[in-house]
Amino acid sequence: MQISPLGHAKRLSRALGTERRLLSTSKLKPALGFGITPVNGHVRYTWTSESGWDQGQVLTSPFINLHVNAGVLHYGLAVFEGLKAFEAQDGDHYVCNPAANAARMREGARRLCMPEVPEEIFVSAVAEAVSLNREFIPDYESGGALYIRPLLFASGTMLPLKRTDQFSLVVSATPVGNYFAGSTAGVSAAVVELDRAAPRGTGAVKAAGNYASDMYGLQKATEAGCDTSLYLDALHHRYIEEFSVANFVGIKDGVYVTPKTDSVLPSITNKMLMTLAREQGMTVEERPVDFHEEIEQFQEVAGSGTAVVLSPCASILRVKTGRKYEFGPLNQLAGLRDRLVRIQRGEEDNSFEWMMPIPREGHILNAAELDPERVLRRMLCAVSSEELATAKAEVTPEEGKDSVVNDEEQKGEVALKHLYDRLAGSYQKAGGGRVVAAAHCSSLLLNHLPVSRRGHVLDAGAGTGEAGAILKGAGVDALTAFDLSDNMLDEVALLITDPFQ
């Protein structure tokens, strides 16, 4: 049986009916909090002192195998980033300002004497991770996002305190909602008598150890009945530094005020908000902020960062004195936040060029551990009504000995079993599905996969392009084009070739 090209997948949505209901593999969408949701996989690049950065790989297992003496485990050599991907109003997907995160990670790598990640590798890894897990990007209507976590760490062994010969960059993703979901009226913060970072220390980079040191401060804030912690400077214990996971932002007599010190992580979200504030004529001050002298003068206070966006702060408790300072609801800051969100969700023009589109094609998935059942069922979803009708016509009376196959639904089930068996035979013959690929954007990585690992390829999108040529040259036939996300079947173009030859 020859499978003909389907063209655009909207044809497919009209063709599927009962068959799609029988074969659906869609996941129940979890409630959007801020935690870890199992996804399709993550991206990993490895640097060695001999070869530099490799070509990267996509892994389906959420676990990492490390030597017991890996440097990250003993000496905490790690920096990370946080950024988000959004579904826009038109259904397209965008990542917010990845170049800025790439630059900040390079600063952190220099400070911790780790190899810098070139921007092209960082951005490519982020795009691959998003494309790989596209089906987990929350719907536009949900208000959520796909949180992306690039992590650079010492994966090589270290006993003496000197640079190891191997480092890894991993980029994972998970769908999220509001970081402070339970504090809709505004969070409460506690000034704890602890130091987050010292002058000339690592406070200005996103070093993993900075957050470990905050755990005790968060515990003390919670014991004081507050949602988060606020730190003052380590030298004078007088000037505001930052909240636990966010920059401090305040409105004082119409002026946008945020601390500037060498021990505060520069928030990319805060920088974008300052750009918007300046554009609309607000005065922006990045300067030391004296807690003792100024805290009562702020009309609005919020925490700014990728995870929290711009979260209102309702009150700040100075634990040492027991005095609480309260603030009004966000007004000017709310306007800035809402505009940034509109840009992120495609409701306003991307004039600042912060939003990077993620094309529908372009991820590869090393599917060595991908459930073959799921792959085969997704392949069956690419069967047209005409092809199913042909398969139904091939159902013989002998196949109905144990069941009546006169009605169309039962014939359809038998026909689908035939198709499944034939697809399974082709799938197994081709090597069991080592790689699920999505077209020319993945050609670079495909080209560097050993031939023995290319195995069977499901090539989505532009399968006849550069990636298709690479695969053909390796003697691998593209079987079918599909997307891992059921809810995108109406939006991606599919190219079907004969899987039964």
Side-chain angles (χ1 to χ4, degrees):
M1 180 178 67
Q2 179 73 25
I3 292 188
S4 58
L6 293 183
H8 196 276
K10 286 187 177 179
R11 241 180 102 189
L12 182 61
S13 67
R14 295 193 298 269
L16 288 178
T18 301
E19 294 72 44
R20 186 167 181 181
R21 174 179 55 79
L22 291 171
L23 298 168
S24 175
T25 58
S26 60
K27 299 178 176 65
L28 292 176
K29 294 181 186 282
L32 286 176
F34 204 92
I36 302 300
T37 297
V39 294
N40 291 328
H42 66 277
V43 176
R44 180 169 181 171
Y45 281 78
T46 302
W47 178 94
T48 63
S49 55
E50 292 183 355
S51 305
W53 288 104
D54 68 5
Q55 296 302 319
Q57 58 183 322
V58 180
L59 303 173
T60 57
S61 171
F63 299 101
I64 295 175
N65 188 22
L66 289 175
H67 193 284
V68 68
N69 293 112
V72 65
L73 301 180
H74 294 261
Y75 300 111
L77 274 176
V79 294
F80 66 92
E81 285 297 320
L83 59 164
K84 287 178 177 177
F86 301 88
E87 180 171 282
Q89 196 170 20
D90 60 6
D92 287 339
H93 297 134
Y94 297 85
V95 174
C96 186
N97 215 350
N101 290 94
R104 193 170 66 177
M105 176 169 274
R106 290 195 300 274
E107 289 287 338
R110 284 193 287 270
R111 181 62 179 82
L112 271 65
C113 298
M114 298 194 289
E116 295 180 30
V117 181
E119 181 177 319
E120 63 184 68
I121 288 181
F122 182 96
V123 173
S124 176
V126 167
E128 290 283 351
V130 174
S131 190
L132 170 65
N133 298 297
R134 190 188 295 274
E135 65 188 281
F136 295 94
I137 299 177
D139 295 340
Y140 164 79
E141 292 80 6
S142 72
L146 187 72
Y147 184 78
I148 308 156
R149 174 58 64 83
L151 169 68
L152 174 64
F153 63 94
S155 49
T157 58
M158 289 178 65
L159 192 57
L161 190 60
K162 64 179 183 179
R163 182 164 167 162
T164 183
D165 60 358
Q166 180 180 298
F167 290 82
S168 295
L169 170 72
V170 296
V171 182
S172 59
T174 189
V176 298
N178 189 351
Y179 189 93
F180 292 114
S183 304
T184 56
V187 300
S188 57
V191 177
V192 291
E193 303 307 314
L194 298 167
D195 299 327
R196 177 184 178 275
R200 298 183 294 277
T202 61
V205 298
K206 207 168 177 67
N210 293 346
Y211 296 81
S213 69
D214 180 41
M215 293 296 294
Y216 186 56
L218 273 176
Q219 178 180 310
K220 301 302 288 184
T222 301
E223 291 172 356
C226 296
D227 301 308
T228 191
S229 52
L230 176 66
Y231 291 91
L232 304 184
D233 73 294
L235 182 61
H236 304 287
H237 282 225
R238 181 182 187 96
Y239 297 97
I240 295 175
E241 295 250 289
E242 60 184 328
F243 292 107
S244 166
V245 294
N247 279 183
F248 176 97
V249 176
I251 295 294
K252 178 181 175 182
D253 299 326
V255 176
Y256 186 113
V257 180
T258 192
K260 183 176 180 61
T261 80
D262 292 334
S263 52
V264 168
L265 180 72
S267 162
I268 293 168
T269 302
N270 193 7
K271 288 183 177 181
M272 291 189 290
L273 290 167
M274 285 189 279
T275 297
L276 296 178
R278 290 187 178 104
E279 189 200 47
Q280 64 186 50
M282 290 181 65
T283 299
V284 175
E285 295 180 353
E286 296 179 81
R287 58 172 177 78
V289 180
D290 190 324
F291 182 89
H292 300 156
E293 299 293 330
E294 297 187 73
I295 192 63
E296 292 183 281
Q297 300 172 20
F298 286 101
Q299 291 82 43
E300 305 174 35
V301 170
S304 174
T306 298
V308 302
V309 188
L310 193 63
S311 183
C313 178
S315 65
I316 295 176
L317 172 67
R318 185 69 188 268
V319 175
K320 182 172 69 174
T321 64
R323 186 173 180 183
K324 179 185 286 189
Y325 305 87
E326 297 183 338
F327 311 98
L330 300 191
N331 182 9
Q332 289 180 278
L333 289 179
L336 296 173
R337 177 195 60 201
D338 293 348
R339 188 180 175 200
L340 177 59
V341 170
R342 289 197 301 273
I343 293 172
Q344 290 172 331
R345 301 193 176 280
E347 299 169 10
E348 188 169 321
D349 185 58
N350 184 26
S351 58
F352 298 99
E353 298 184 348
W354 291 331
M355 307 307 296
M356 182 184 79
I358 302 296
R360 291 291 179 185
E361 72 280 359
H363 74 266
I364 71 166
L365 169 60
N366 180 355
E369 299 179 27
L370 188 67
D371 181 8
E373 183 80 7
R374 183 183 179 204
V375 172
L376 290 168
R377 287 178 178 272
R378 294 297 298 118
M379 288 156 57
L380 278 176
C381 284
V383 175
S384 72
S385 56
E386 293 84 1
E387 292 149 359
L388 182 63
T390 301
K392 285 180 181 179
E394 294 175 352
V395 176
T396 64
E398 288 74 18
E399 291 173 310
K401 288 181 178 179
D402 297 327
S403 62
V404 179
V405 292
N406 292 326
D407 67 78
E408 290 301 305
E409 183 171 341
Q410 290 179 351
K411 282 185 179 181
E413 291 178 4
V414 174
L416 287 170
K417 183 180 184 302
H418 285 181
L419 292 172
Y420 181 93
D421 291 342
R422 296 172 77 175
L423 286 167
S426 176
Y427 183 78
Q428 292 164 2
K429 180 180 178 181
R434 292 296 182 86
V435 178
V436 176
H440 67 277
C441 287
S442 298
S443 60
L444 177 63
L445 291 183
L446 280 173
N447 196 32
H448 289 275
L449 286 172
V451 173
S452 61
R453 296 192 62 206
R454 288 174 184 167
H456 174 57
V457 175
L458 306 177
D459 188 8
T464 57
E466 185 180 353
I470 291 170
L471 298 170
K472 185 176 181 181
V476 180
D477 290 327
L479 170 64
T480 246
F482 76 99
D483 191 276
L484 291 176
S485 170
D486 285 335
N487 64 13
M488 287 168 54
L489 282 173
D490 291 341
E491 301 176 54
V492 293
L494 302 183
L495 176 69
I496 307 299
T497 60
D498 186 4
F500 307 124
Q501 293 179 344

